[in-house]
Amino acid sequence: MNTTTTNTASGAAEYLDVNDLAALLRCSSRHVRKLVVDRVLPAPIRLGALTRWSRAVVVRWLEERGGGPAADRGGRRVQVR
C-alpha cells in the first residue's frame, strides 16, 4: 500500500488514497468512488488537488460496521448499505 504520512502537532497521521482504500476494503477504486458519491464512506479530506482518507477514521468506521463493504461472506462480496 502507498500511504502518505504527515507529521502534525499531535503526532503522525496516516492518509490513504483511493487505491489504498480500495485495497483495505478489498474492492475496486471505482466502487470506492461510488461509495463516496452514495455517502456510505466517511468524507474524504481534500489536500489541495488530492483526495485522502484518514486511516484512523476509516478503521473506526469499519469497526463500527463490523467489517468492510466488500468483506468476504462465503465467496461473494457484500455491499454495505
Side-chain angles (χ1 to χ4, degrees), residues 50-72:
L50 304 176
T51 302
R52 298 290 185 262
W53 286 263
S54 166
R55 178 182 286 281
V57 170
V58 171
V59 168
R60 190 172 338 120
W61 175 80
L62 285 171
E63 289 170 352
E64 289 171 0
R65 292 189 168 282
D72 270 339

